Amino acid sequence: MTLVSPLGDSVNHQTKKPQGHSLWHDARLRLQRNKLAMFGLLFLICLVVIALLTPWIAPYNYDSQNLALGASPPSSKHWFGTDTLGRDQLTRVLFGSRISLMVGFIATSVALIIGVLWGTIAGFSGGKVDAIMMRIVDILYALPFAIFIILLTVIFGRSLLLLFLAIGAVEWMTMARIMRGQTLAIKRQEYVEAALTMGLSRWQIIRRYLIPNALGPIIVYTTLTIPSVILLESFLSFLGLGIQPPQSSWGSLISAGGETMEEYPWLLIFPGITLALTLFSLNFLGDGLRDALDPQSAKD
Amino acid sequence: MLNVINLSISFYTRNGVTQAVKDLSFSVKKGETLAIVGESGSGKSVSCQTIVGLVPSPPAKVESGAVEWQNSDLLQQNEAQLRRIRGKKISMIFQDPMTSLNPNMRIGTQIVEALLEHSDAGPAQAKQRAIEALKEVGIENAEQRFKAFPHQFSGGMRQRVMIAMALVTQPDIVIADEPTTALDVTIQAQILELLAGLQKKHQLAIIFISHDLAVVRNIADHVIVMKSGTVVESGSPQQLFEQPKHPYTKKLIDAIPSGAKPQSRDSHAENLIEIKNLSTHFHTRHGAFWKPVKSVTVAADNINISLKKGEILGLVGESGSGKSTLGRSIVRLVKPSKGEIRFAGKNLLQLSPRQMQAIRPHIQMVFQDPYASLNPRMTVYDALAEPVCLHTSIGKAELPGYIAKLLDDVGMPEAAQNKYPHEFSGGQRQRIAIARALACSPQVIIADEPVSALDVTIQEQILALLLKLNAQRGISILFISHDLSVVRYLCDRVAVMEKGRIVEINACEQVFRQPAHAYTKSLLAAIP
């Protein structure tokens, strides 16, 4: 993938094949011209590749302890230092990225898909359907989150799958509310009425008119959701749902590092930096996507 | 009184420098009305906003010129000095009174605020003067209405409030930027009359900005015609209308729809759409949900009307008369309460959604606002391909050719298909919207105020396009409009609506020459 696509390339494309000239195609070209967003994307891709390869490239085993070593600062043998039990911090960050990225992306996708569909259907249908769907959201909102999670753990026991479900079950509600608000505004636009008189089905209108025009706030909220989900995971792990030591995640490493911050700062710094870089990349990419998907934003 | 001398304004943007106004000079005297006429983008609003320092700079920059007023140059004043002049000595009236009044503030408070800022009146005195000002612009029960919010007024009443607010500080000059463009013709006539009366009383100088030469003709003492930032012609309205010198002025005058449609149609053609006893009620619930208060608005009341094959039927009335509701009932965007709409032997109101889908390609709609009626995230090609793929058997291979032909039919270049709606002007967008309506070769087009958002020269082009489509393809058009001169130019028959009822329906010329109903007469009298 090239970082900057030459302008001539897109011009040729236009004259050759008008069919491929859709919103998504244009968005890709525009995204490719946004260097910051491409940097973010590249960083995220590298991170995912490294996370996938971790079992083979990690310098140590994630649960091998060296109590004699204890907590040692970064060195040539242990780049990120070791924790109080003498476990290599780099290895733990690498293994942690597998959990954190998986939680971040899967739970957010679950929230995104349910939330967007729920909000769009409620907003577009209006009337009783809308009232019932949104009251369900209100009721779920009112349930205390921690009690809800503990109940889930009691009933189903702990598993990674349940972790995704629990997070998804919380995050989609805000998404649904945002999407419903957007839908209510967009469905009064004349172009949606024009689509109705053209005889498009409801599903076609939702897919081609409502969702593309509501993407801006949704993308921004998504990029905000991923980091909050990653941190939420550490809270859930603390409650006993999700992962347990010696497994690690960024959230759990950071909360553990926070406790020993004064004596062993490297235990907090390295997972902190990794998380921060990921969030930066996500925000750059999110902003880039939002601009790229809006044909009215500046042309280049 | 106010002299503008060689004013030049440019906009500096990333895409380069645009000269918005070139060497503009004019002067206004006490008690005189100067009209500045031009299309959107001609620089008429920008130059007047510059006088009171309302143009954001950057991107705008005054390149040269001076605005002389009371022995000083307004362009050299700083913001604090300008604020003392703006609103006190020079007031503005804007086009849309809904957006230029603060919706969260009682109108009385807004007027009093202007007074407290600009005069030494105390709160009690200010309130008194505000109420007087409201009375002066013809608002009844001014004491009670003083406490009302802007949304509780109709469009015309809001514009009156706006005028009261502009005049309460006793300014010398009023700049009115398209003050009647958003209003119905009868309301427009009232507002123009009000302005003229107030001008006489207070010896105001008025700068009246408009795109509509017809409006300007009766009220201006002097007219400036602007095009792309330069003055192409100026003079008294009589001079301008009787002996226009510049070709652009001629074009503007010719574009005012006048006269009637030449050929008369066979009135025995068969009925394409028949509407029988149609009533539409809107039910609204308000109040708390455990104690709802139900109210009913009658938008259409027992309407009987038919659209003949190949005819253009005009539907006129003021806003709120139910004319849009009637048009939208036919395409089932609103659900009528009772009655029949018959098309091709079927009652459209009894069809299932699936059966209705089969009818939809034959009845298409063109909307008022070309900025809102196209999906901003779809290219023109996709927007046009959508109905074609949905309703016709045209295959993928023939599609590009078909769409190029559609664009050609509405006078757009083929290259337009890869662009997005925002890259076009209002008139071009309306052409695209018409192309979309034509995409599945409909028998009927319902056009809901299709030209009222457009400049007068563009308006003429769109009307000519509609006439051409009607003549060549034999498409019947239900043309909904509040503009009687446009209707006279375009339509074979006219139906006049008032408060949900059709009060008169007849051949176009008949209605204009010998209006039968009092309401029709009042509409005709209000044409500027």
Side-chain angles (χ1 to χ4, degrees), chain B residues 145-410:
Chain B
R145 301 297 267 163
F146 184 81
K147 289 206 180 97
F149 286 98
H151 71 266
Q152 293 170 312
F153 290 87
S154 67
M157 282 298 152
R158 272 201 294 267
Q159 198 59 291
R160 283 170 190 263
V161 172
M162 192 72 216
I163 292 172
M165 204 163 139
L167 295 184
V168 74
T169 54
Q170 295 170 334
D172 299 326
I173 302 175
V174 173
I175 299 175
D177 192 349
E178 307 254 11
T180 58
T181 310
L183 305 175
D184 282 328
V185 333
T186 46
I187 313 289
Q188 165 170 305
Q190 292 166 13
I191 295 287
L192 291 177
E193 199 180 318
L194 173 70
L195 268 179
L198 291 169
Q199 175 176 38
K200 222 174 203 169
K201 196 169 159 198
H202 298 289
Q203 282 298 302
L204 292 170
I206 297 183
I207 303 180
F208 193 97
I209 304 172
S210 180
H211 69 276
D212 194 343
L213 263 180
V215 169
V216 159
R217 182 175 196 169
N218 299 322
I219 57 157
D221 298 304
H222 195 83
V223 181
I224 295 178
V225 181
M226 281 185 83
K227 183 177 194 274
S228 355
T230 45
V231 174
V232 296
E233 192 165 353
S234 71
S236 72
Q238 282 73 22
Q239 255 179 333
L240 234 59
F241 271 90
E242 278 154 27
Q243 297 154 330
K245 292 192 191 77
H246 195 276
Y248 181 71
T249 318
K250 281 185 194 140
K251 206 172 131 199
L252 276 182
I253 292 172
D254 291 343
I256 298 173
S258 59
K261 208 176 155 188
Q263 78 277 29
S264 182
R265 242 167 244 284
D266 172 20
S267 55
H268 302 293
E270 57 177 308
N271 288 342
L272 202 55
I273 294 184
E274 266 180 89
I275 296 175
K276 286 181 192 156
N277 307 324
L278 187 84
S279 294
T280 305
H281 300 171
F282 290 120
H283 298 267
T284 43
R285 281 162 59 111
H286 43 93
F289 75 90
W290 61 88
K291 210 175 95 190
V293 182
K294 287 182 186 169
S295 59
V296 179
T297 317
V298 181
D301 189 8
N302 201 13
I303 284 178
N304 288 287
I305 195 174
S306 60
L307 178 65
K308 294 192 168 85
K309 206 165 199 165
E311 86 168 340
I312 305 183
L313 173 65
L315 192 56
V316 295
E318 297 181 34
S319 39
S321 63
K323 56 192 197 303
S324 287
T325 306
L326 181 56
R328 296 155 86 87
S329 299
I330 298 174
V331 289
R332 296 226 310 211
L333 278 176
V334 292
K335 198 170 172 294
S337 318
K338 59 172 192 278
E340 278 181 38
I341 298 175
R342 300 200 77 85
F343 173 78
K346 294 183 188 106
N347 181 0
L348 295 187
L349 301 180
Q350 282 170 352
L351 297 181
S352 70
R354 188 169 292 274
Q355 288 168 318
M356 188 64 196
Q357 298 300 57
I359 301 286
R360 287 200 180 278
H362 302 299
I363 308 175
Q364 283 294 302
M365 189 143 179
V366 176
F367 293 85
Q368 171 174 5
D369 185 356
Y371 292 87
S373 63
L374 294 167
N375 185 346
R377 312 234 168 176
M378 254 187 189
T379 59
V380 171
Y381 182 92
D382 287 339
L384 296 180
E386 196 164 50
V388 179
C389 294
L390 205 61
H391 293 299
T392 65
S393 54
I394 291 163
K396 266 226 149 77
E398 301 143 287
L399 197 55
Y402 183 77
I403 284 170
K405 166 123 199 335
L406 262 182
L407 284 169
D408 187 55
D409 282 351
V410 297

Side-chain angles (χ1 to χ4, degrees), chain A residues 3 5 10 21-35 37-38 288-300, chain B residues 376-377 420 422-423:
Chain A
L3 271 178
S5 121
S10 68
H21 204 82
S22 68
L23 177 68
W24 300 100
H25 175 85
D26 283 356
R28 215 184 69 216
L29 288 179
R30 268 197 293 266
L31 190 66
Q32 282 171 13
R33 280 188 228 128
N34 184 338
K35 290 196 181 119
M38 288 314 287
L289 272 176
R290 189 197 53 202
D291 291 345
L293 284 167
D294 183 2
Q296 288 176 49
S297 69
K299 284 242 76 178
D300 39 17
Chain B
R377 312 234 168 176
Y420 289 90
H422 74 270
E423 296 172 65

Side-chain angles (χ1 to χ4, degrees), chain B residues 10-18 58-60:
Chain B
S10 295
F11 281 92
Y12 288 82
T13 61
R14 279 201 310 189
N15 300 329
V17 184
T18 326

Side-chain angles (χ1 to χ4, degrees), chain A residues 239-253:
Chain A
L239 282 182
L241 183 71
I243 60 131
Q244 292 304 315
Q247 281 184 313
S248 61
S249 71
W250 290 347
S252 61
L253 287 177

Side-chain angles (χ1 to χ4, degrees), chain A residues 5-297:
Chain A
S5 121
L7 197 67
D9 188 63
S10 68
V11 170
N12 277 339
H13 198 97
Q14 280 183 10
T15 47
K16 249 190 323 205
K17 199 177 119 207
Q19 292 96 317
H21 204 82
S22 68
L23 177 68
W24 300 100
H25 175 85
D26 283 356
R28 215 184 69 216
L29 288 179
R30 268 197 293 266
L31 190 66
Q32 282 171 13
R33 280 188 228 128
N34 184 338
K35 290 196 181 119
L36 220 50
M38 288 314 287
F39 164 78
L41 184 63
L42 213 63
F43 181 84
L44 289 175
I45 290 173
C46 290
L47 210 62
V48 170
V49 170
I50 292 173
L52 287 174
L53 296 177
T54 296
W56 295 279
I57 61 169
Y60 297 88
N61 212 344
Y62 71 94
D63 57 354
S64 68
Q65 302 180 356
N66 185 350
L67 288 171
L69 193 61
S72 66
S75 63
S76 57
K77 268 184 159 176
H78 301 279
W79 292 355
F80 285 11
T82 56
D83 69 1
T84 46
L85 295 175
R87 291 178 292 202
D88 180 52
Q89 187 73 356
L90 173 61
T91 308
R92 303 202 75 207
V93 169
L94 287 178
F95 274 98
S97 68
R98 289 163 69 86
I99 303 285
S100 288
L101 289 177
M102 198 151 70
V103 171
F105 288 114
I106 296 183
T108 307
S109 313
V110 170
L112 189 68
I113 292 168
I114 300 178
V116 166
L117 285 181
W118 192 278
T120 317
I121 292 169
F124 192 54
S125 308
K128 287 208 178 79
V129 179
D130 181 32
I132 292 170
M133 287 177 87
M134 292 323 282
R135 287 312 78 74
I136 293 175
V137 171
D138 290 345
I139 291 167
L140 290 179
Y141 245 119
L143 284 182
F145 176 55
I147 294 178
F148 177 61
I149 302 292
I150 292 165
L151 268 178
L152 280 178
T153 333
V154 170
I155 300 169
F156 296 104
R158 69 171 65 119
S159 77
L160 214 53
L161 184 73
L162 203 58
L163 185 73
F164 296 146
L165 278 178
I167 295 178
V170 177
E171 294 291 334
W172 72 268
M173 290 182 284
T174 315
M175 198 73 90
R177 284 193 164 173
I178 294 178
M179 192 61 205
R180 173 174 174 269
Q182 287 285 312
T183 307
L184 286 182
I186 295 168
K187 88 168 176 183
R188 304 215 185 291
Q189 298 280 331
E190 281 185 347
Y191 57 80
V192 174
E193 298 194 326
L196 279 170
T197 61
M198 244 158 23
L200 263 70
S201 68
R202 295 156 63 85
W203 175 239
Q204 281 168 317
I205 290 174
I206 289 178
R207 200 166 51 84
R208 305 191 52 156
Y209 285 72
L210 292 175
I211 294 180
N213 283 295
L215 275 177
I218 292 298
I219 288 172
V220 172
Y221 185 70
T222 306
T223 53
L224 293 175
T225 304
I226 294 179
S228 80
V229 159
I230 289 177
L231 293 176
L232 198 59
E233 176 270 330
S234 70
F235 166 69
L236 293 182
S237 298
F238 173 77
L239 282 182
L241 183 71
I243 60 131
Q244 292 304 315
Q247 281 184 313
S248 61
S249 71
W250 290 347
S252 61
L253 287 177
I254 287 172
S255 65
E259 288 162 19
T260 57
M261 186 170 71
E262 284 173 16
E263 301 95 53
Y264 320 119
W266 58 90
L267 291 185
L268 176 63
I269 289 172
F270 289 109
I273 288 178
T274 326
L275 181 62
L277 281 177
T278 311
L279 303 194
F280 275 139
S281 307
L282 275 171
N283 280 330
F284 290 149
L285 183 63
D287 278 358
L289 272 176
R290 189 197 53 202
D291 291 345
L293 284 167
D294 183 2
Q296 288 176 49
S297 69

